[in-house]
Amino acid sequence: MFFQKDIETMKREELEDLQLKKLRKMVDYCYNNIPFYHQKLGAAGITSGDKIKTLSDIRYIPVTTKDDIRDNYPFGMLAVPMKKVVRIHASSGTTGKPTVGCYTKADLELWSDIVARVAVSAGAREDDIFQIAFGYGLFTGALGLHYGLEKIGCTVIPASTGNTVKQMMMFRDFGVTGLVATPSYALYLGECVRDSGYPMDAYKLRLGLFGSEGCTPEMRDQIERSLCLKATDNYGLTELTGPGVSGECELRCGLHFAEDHFLPEIVDKDTLEPLPAGSTGELVVTTLDREGMPVLRYRTKDITRLNYEPCACGRTHVRMEKPMGRTDDMLIIKGVNVFPSQIESALVGMEGIGPHYQLVVRRKNYMDTLEVKVELVSADMLESYGILEGLRHDVHDKLKSVLGLETKVTLVEPKSLERFQGKARRVLDLRNQPEE
């Protein structure tokens, strides 16, 4: 088993001493090897790690943003000569230049370690057979989980995304016990398993390691029912390394941060001032050991909270709550802040509707409006206007109670909304189109 007990159960004082030592070293490393940080740190008066006397002094280090990394595309944030780089990953770049991640041999070794740690804490075992249904390529998720699971000794099937019929065939024929996928694709696979005509005992799935997008408790319950497995969540970003930054243990009471390698903070998203322990705010993370492309105080844009109480599993590293949303995903409708995860939590599990939905944002009379499209579970319901209207009112009223906002609810035919093999794209923004 890959349980690093001496590290994962370290006393808080010892862990913070280790973090401070590594933080000082990392400040020196970035100042001396990355022109961007040499300029930023110098302007802030932090010209060496000796300026950082306590962990709280991290507040004096300027934050790093996704735009900073894009502005230095592709290798301006590199801290080592290119000959030391053995792997390059990158984000999708759908909203501009991709953010690039460069890895040395030491970075890849550390990465597989932290992924193995997350997988074991979630319940993965040496005799598991894991099917990875992430897309292989520049995306960090697939290869990150791949090498971490192999380090444990698991059998790994690099299935990639797509060809869902073949995915289910491999589930059955290869005796797959573990699934790696986005929650939205796992939800779709659950539908396909149900419709496949094979009994559930033809499938041996028991554990899901899901990530790359948010997963509400309601969606998790739906996945567990349809695939007969235990669903766990893990977290990571290309800018920080990839998956493995944090992940749930078997108790699923928060995602354990790898605090010996990453230093998390919670700040006010507007002022960037540190918030008291237990507060909800934006997650900011510093890499403490990364060689190729380290980052200082990276703004993740994820809204969450940190819990420093030791977990009942025995691990002492801080636990982050599942992000409730992202500051850049938040919709403001008639002055109300709306996160897609709020709508998902309200919809999933409601009788008569399925778990798939789409949010359509339009602008009318200079005001933003929100339409929520929801699938029916049965086409038979389309034959009764009374049933449809009753269900539409139920959905509307529940959303109004959760959001405090009027929404237009549209019920659509079963399986008519798009299914996703990668990250789900739930929001259709039509605000730049002419008014209807």
Side-chain angles (χ1 to χ4, degrees):
M1 296 295 287
F2 202 88
F3 175 40
Q4 298 171 318
K5 185 175 181 180
D6 290 346
I7 297 172
E8 294 183 66
T9 63
M10 189 178 287
K11 291 181 179 178
R12 171 57 45 187
E13 312 84 67
E14 296 174 357
L15 185 54
E16 291 182 352
D17 285 346
L18 177 64
Q19 288 177 321
L20 180 57
K21 179 180 177 181
K22 287 189 173 186
L23 177 60
R24 287 171 171 165
K25 184 177 179 181
M26 182 54 71
V27 168
D28 283 339
Y29 184 70
C30 290
Y31 182 80
N32 293 323
N33 292 284
I34 304 174
F36 168 81
Y37 280 126
H38 188 89
Q39 187 275 324
K40 292 276 280 191
L41 290 169
I46 302 173
T47 53
S48 84
D50 290 340
K51 299 282 187 179
I52 306 298
K53 304 297 184 183
T54 67
L55 282 180
S56 63
D57 288 343
I58 196 172
R59 71 175 66 193
Y60 303 119
I61 298 174
V63 297
T64 305
T65 67
K66 185 183 286 286
D67 285 341
D68 291 330
I69 296 175
R70 285 175 172 162
D71 290 345
N72 285 278
Y73 174 89
F75 303 129
M77 301 290 279
L78 191 60
V80 297
M82 197 65 195
K83 65 181 180 181
K84 289 195 68 175
V85 174
V86 297
R87 176 91 63 79
I88 296 175
H89 282 280
S91 67
S92 60
T94 54
T95 58
K97 287 284 189 181
T99 53
V100 174
C102 294
Y103 303 75
T104 65
K105 286 184 179 179
D107 289 335
L108 292 184
E109 189 63 29
L110 183 152
W111 191 12
S112 63
D113 273 3
I114 59 176
V115 172
R117 186 190 296 182
V118 164
V120 167
S121 70
R125 302 189 299 250
E126 185 179 14
D127 58 352
D128 273 314
I129 301 173
F130 267 91
Q131 188 161 312
I132 297 182
F134 276 149
Y136 278 73
L138 290 176
F139 170 57
T140 58
L143 286 171
L145 269 296
H146 185 124
Y147 285 102
L149 290 167
E150 283 188 345
K151 176 159 280 191
I152 299 169
C154 300
T155 301
V156 176
I157 304 169
S160 197
T161 56
N163 203 339
T164 302
V165 173
K166 190 173 182 180
Q167 299 268 7
M168 292 188 297
M169 180 191 74
M170 289 188 289
F171 284 164
R172 298 187 300 266
D173 295 350
F174 296 168
V176 174
T177 58
L179 172 64
V180 173
T182 61
S184 53
Y185 190 45
L187 198 64
Y188 177 51
L189 286 170
E191 285 185 355
C192 296
V193 165
R194 183 190 63 212
D195 298 339
S196 67
Y198 288 86
M200 281 310 300
D201 60 12
Y203 299 91
K204 296 182 173 61
L205 289 166
R206 69 170 195 88
L207 179 63
L209 302 177
F210 301 128
S212 185
E213 64 183 17
C215 182
T216 62
E218 292 80 7
M219 179 183 276
R220 183 185 70 190
D221 292 344
Q222 188 95 359
I223 292 169
E224 291 186 330
R225 286 194 298 269
S226 62
L227 289 175
C228 293
L229 51 67
K230 183 174 184 178
T232 64
D233 209 354
N234 61 82
Y235 176 85
L237 301 169
T238 300
E239 297 86 347
L240 300 178
T241 288
V245 174
S246 68
E248 289 182 307
C249 68
E250 293 183 86
L251 299 181
R252 298 190 303 190
C253 51
L255 285 72
H256 292 270
F257 238 88
E259 279 196 279
D260 51 324
H261 299 303
F262 303 95
L263 180 55
E265 309 168 67
I266 297 294
V267 303
D268 183 286
K269 68 180 180 64
D270 297 317
T271 66
L272 301 183
E273 286 297 313
L275 293 175
S279 300
T280 297
E282 182 179 341
L283 178 68
V284 170
V285 182
T286 296
T287 61
L288 296 176
D289 292 295
R290 198 175 185 191
E291 284 187 345
M293 277 190 170
V295 288
L296 300 175
R297 303 197 75 207
Y298 181 71
R299 292 190 64 181
T300 68
K301 299 294 187 77
D302 287 314
I303 304 298
T304 185
R305 181 167 56 182
L306 299 177
N307 181 355
Y308 286 88
E309 291 297 319
C311 181
C313 75
R315 293 173 176 84
T316 55
H317 290 208
V318 68
R319 288 168 285 151
M320 63 176 278
E321 290 187 359
K322 290 187 178 187
M324 65 172 290
R326 293 177 53 80
T327 59
D328 50 4
D329 282 348
M330 184 177 73
L331 302 171
I332 303 178
I333 308 295
K334 298 177 182 176
V336 178
N337 295 344
V338 177
F339 290 100
S341 59
Q342 293 174 287
I343 295 173
E344 181 178 295
S345 293
L347 295 177
V348 174
M350 281 191 72
E351 189 173 351
I353 63 172
H356 299 279
Y357 63 95
Q358 183 181 58
L359 311 181
V360 184
V361 185
R362 296 183 177 89
R363 183 159 291 151
K364 187 173 183 180
N365 298 327
Y366 306 101
M367 293 286 288
D368 291 344
T369 64
L370 178 63
E371 177 185 8
V372 182
K373 293 186 176 181
V374 188
E375 280 188 356
L376 298 168
V377 294
S378 172
D380 294 340
M381 301 174 72
L382 294 168
E383 299 177 5
S384 173
Y385 177 80
I387 292 176
L388 285 180
E389 276 300 286
L391 181 57
R392 189 181 67 78
H393 280 294
D394 288 345
V395 174
H396 169 272
D397 292 347
K398 186 164 186 181
L399 289 176
K400 186 175 182 180
S401 69
V402 170
L403 303 177
L405 178 73
E406 285 286 342
T407 59
K408 177 183 177 181
V409 175
T410 303
L411 302 177
V412 300
E413 294 182 8
K415 299 186 179 179
S416 61
L417 296 179
E418 184 180 358
R419 273 34 173 184
F420 300 95
Q421 297 171 5
K423 289 187 179 182
R425 297 179 297 278
R426 304 289 191 192
V427 180
L428 180 61
D429 192 341
L430 303 179
R431 283 176 287 190
N432 291 326
Q433 295 191 9
E435 290 187 10
E436 296 178 349

PDB file of all heavy atoms in Angstrom, residues 314-325:
ATOM      1  N   GLY A 314      -7.063   9.563  10.369  1.00  0.00           N
ATOM      2  CA  GLY A 314      -5.725   9.654  10.935  1.00  0.00           C
ATOM      3  C   GLY A 314      -4.827  10.646  10.224  1.00  0.00           C
ATOM      4  O   GLY A 314      -3.782  11.040  10.754  1.00  0.00           O
ATOM      5  N   ARG A 315      -5.221  11.065   9.011  1.00  0.00           N
ATOM      6  CA  ARG A 315      -4.404  12.026   8.266  1.00  0.00           C
ATOM      7  C   ARG A 315      -4.611  13.427   8.850  1.00  0.00           C
ATOM      8  O   ARG A 315      -5.718  13.804   9.218  1.00  0.00           O
ATOM      9  CB  ARG A 315      -4.763  12.000   6.778  1.00  0.00           C
ATOM     10  CG  ARG A 315      -4.394  10.683   6.101  1.00  0.00           C
ATOM     11  CD  ARG A 315      -4.907  10.606   4.670  1.00  0.00           C
ATOM     12  NE  ARG A 315      -4.473   9.381   4.008  1.00  0.00           N
ATOM     13  CZ  ARG A 315      -5.096   8.217   4.104  1.00  0.00           C
ATOM     14  NH1 ARG A 315      -6.210   8.129   4.837  1.00  0.00           N
ATOM     15  NH2 ARG A 315      -4.629   7.144   3.499  1.00  0.00           N
ATOM     16  N   THR A 316      -3.520  14.188   8.890  1.00  0.00           N
ATOM     17  CA  THR A 316      -3.558  15.498   9.536  1.00  0.00           C
ATOM     18  C   THR A 316      -3.507  16.660   8.552  1.00  0.00           C
ATOM     19  O   THR A 316      -3.683  17.805   8.959  1.00  0.00           O
ATOM     20  CB  THR A 316      -2.373  15.633  10.509  1.00  0.00           C
ATOM     21  OG1 THR A 316      -1.152  15.386   9.790  1.00  0.00           O
ATOM     22  CG2 THR A 316      -2.495  14.644  11.659  1.00  0.00           C
ATOM     23  N   HIS A 317      -3.227  16.381   7.282  1.00  0.00           N
ATOM     24  CA  HIS A 317      -3.139  17.474   6.319  1.00  0.00           C
ATOM     25  C   HIS A 317      -4.503  18.137   6.142  1.00  0.00           C
ATOM     26  O   HIS A 317      -5.545  17.478   6.203  1.00  0.00           O
ATOM     27  CB  HIS A 317      -2.622  16.955   4.974  1.00  0.00           C
ATOM     28  CG  HIS A 317      -1.183  16.545   5.009  1.00  0.00           C
ATOM     29  ND1 HIS A 317      -0.368  16.578   3.900  1.00  0.00           N
ATOM     30  CD2 HIS A 317      -0.395  16.095   6.016  1.00  0.00           C
ATOM     31  CE1 HIS A 317       0.846  16.164   4.221  1.00  0.00           C
ATOM     32  NE2 HIS A 317       0.843  15.862   5.516  1.00  0.00           N
ATOM     33  N   VAL A 318      -4.484  19.430   5.922  1.00  0.00           N
ATOM     34  CA  VAL A 318      -5.715  20.212   5.832  1.00  0.00           C
ATOM     35  C   VAL A 318      -6.636  19.643   4.754  1.00  0.00           C
ATOM     36  O   VAL A 318      -6.181  19.132   3.724  1.00  0.00           O
ATOM     37  CB  VAL A 318      -5.387  21.694   5.539  1.00  0.00           C
ATOM     38  CG1 VAL A 318      -4.816  21.874   4.134  1.00  0.00           C
ATOM     39  CG2 VAL A 318      -6.610  22.567   5.735  1.00  0.00           C
ATOM     40  N   ARG A 319      -7.940  19.725   5.030  1.00  0.00           N
ATOM     41  CA  ARG A 319      -8.936  19.255   4.056  1.00  0.00           C
ATOM     42  C   ARG A 319      -9.665  20.443   3.449  1.00  0.00           C
ATOM     43  O   ARG A 319     -10.091  21.346   4.179  1.00  0.00           O
ATOM     44  CB  ARG A 319      -9.953  18.335   4.742  1.00  0.00           C
ATOM     45  CG  ARG A 319      -9.399  16.970   5.119  1.00  0.00           C
ATOM     46  CD  ARG A 319     -10.349  16.238   6.043  1.00  0.00           C
ATOM     47  NE  ARG A 319     -10.317  16.784   7.394  1.00  0.00           N
ATOM     48  CZ  ARG A 319     -11.338  16.755   8.229  1.00  0.00           C
ATOM     49  NH1 ARG A 319     -12.501  16.253   7.851  1.00  0.00           N
ATOM     50  NH2 ARG A 319     -11.215  17.247   9.453  1.00  0.00           N
ATOM     51  N   MET A 320      -9.785  20.436   2.134  1.00  0.00           N
ATOM     52  CA  MET A 320     -10.572  21.475   1.471  1.00  0.00           C
ATOM     53  C   MET A 320     -11.946  20.920   1.126  1.00  0.00           C
ATOM     54  O   MET A 320     -12.088  19.745   0.787  1.00  0.00           O
ATOM     55  CB  MET A 320      -9.873  21.978   0.199  1.00  0.00           C
ATOM     56  CG  MET A 320      -9.678  20.949  -0.893  1.00  0.00           C
ATOM     57  SD  MET A 320      -8.935  21.637  -2.415  1.00  0.00           S
ATOM     58  CE  MET A 320     -10.385  22.333  -3.218  1.00  0.00           C
ATOM     59  N   GLU A 321     -12.960  21.748   1.296  1.00  0.00           N
ATOM     60  CA  GLU A 321     -14.295  21.352   0.868  1.00  0.00           C
ATOM     61  C   GLU A 321     -14.337  21.333  -0.657  1.00  0.00           C
ATOM     62  O   GLU A 321     -13.565  22.032  -1.320  1.00  0.00           O
ATOM     63  CB  GLU A 321     -15.343  22.327   1.399  1.00  0.00           C
ATOM     64  CG  GLU A 321     -15.557  22.239   2.887  1.00  0.00           C
ATOM     65  CD  GLU A 321     -16.722  23.093   3.354  1.00  0.00           C
ATOM     66  OE1 GLU A 321     -17.347  23.768   2.503  1.00  0.00           O
ATOM     67  OE2 GLU A 321     -16.996  23.092   4.563  1.00  0.00           O
ATOM     68  N   LYS A 322     -15.243  20.523  -1.212  1.00  0.00           N
ATOM     69  CA  LYS A 322     -15.423  20.569  -2.653  1.00  0.00           C
ATOM     70  C   LYS A 322     -15.728  22.001  -3.061  1.00  0.00           C
ATOM     71  O   LYS A 322     -16.583  22.643  -2.448  1.00  0.00           O
ATOM     72  CB  LYS A 322     -16.577  19.655  -3.083  1.00  0.00           C
ATOM     73  CG  LYS A 322     -16.279  18.176  -2.945  1.00  0.00           C
ATOM     74  CD  LYS A 322     -17.413  17.364  -3.550  1.00  0.00           C
ATOM     75  CE  LYS A 322     -17.120  15.881  -3.461  1.00  0.00           C
ATOM     76  NZ  LYS A 322     -18.130  15.075  -4.188  1.00  0.00           N
ATOM     77  N   PRO A 323     -15.042  22.515  -4.072  1.00  0.00           N
ATOM     78  CA  PRO A 323     -15.326  23.896  -4.494  1.00  0.00           C
ATOM     79  C   PRO A 323     -16.804  24.091  -4.819  1.00  0.00           C
ATOM     80  O   PRO A 323     -17.410  23.266  -5.514  1.00  0.00           O
ATOM     81  CB  PRO A 323     -14.453  24.069  -5.744  1.00  0.00           C
ATOM     82  CG  PRO A 323     -13.313  23.114  -5.530  1.00  0.00           C
ATOM     83  CD  PRO A 323     -13.929  21.920  -4.844  1.00  0.00           C
ATOM     84  N   MET A 324     -17.385  25.151  -4.288  1.00  0.00           N
ATOM     85  CA  MET A 324     -18.799  25.427  -4.553  1.00  0.00           C
ATOM     86  C   MET A 324     -18.993  26.062  -5.924  1.00  0.00           C
ATOM     87  O   MET A 324     -20.106  26.143  -6.441  1.00  0.00           O
ATOM     88  CB  MET A 324     -19.375  26.342  -3.484  1.00  0.00           C
ATOM     89  CG  MET A 324     -18.777  27.735  -3.440  1.00  0.00           C
ATOM     90  SD  MET A 324     -19.649  28.848  -2.304  1.00  0.00           S
ATOM     91  CE  MET A 324     -21.189  29.072  -3.171  1.00  0.00           C
ATOM     92  N   GLY A 325     -17.894  26.513  -6.514  1.00  0.00           N
ATOM     93  CA  GLY A 325     -17.941  27.119  -7.834  1.00  0.00           C
ATOM     94  C   GLY A 325     -16.655  27.871  -8.087  1.00  0.00           C
ATOM     95  O   GLY A 325     -15.728  27.851  -7.271  1.00  0.00           O
TER      96      GLY A 325
END
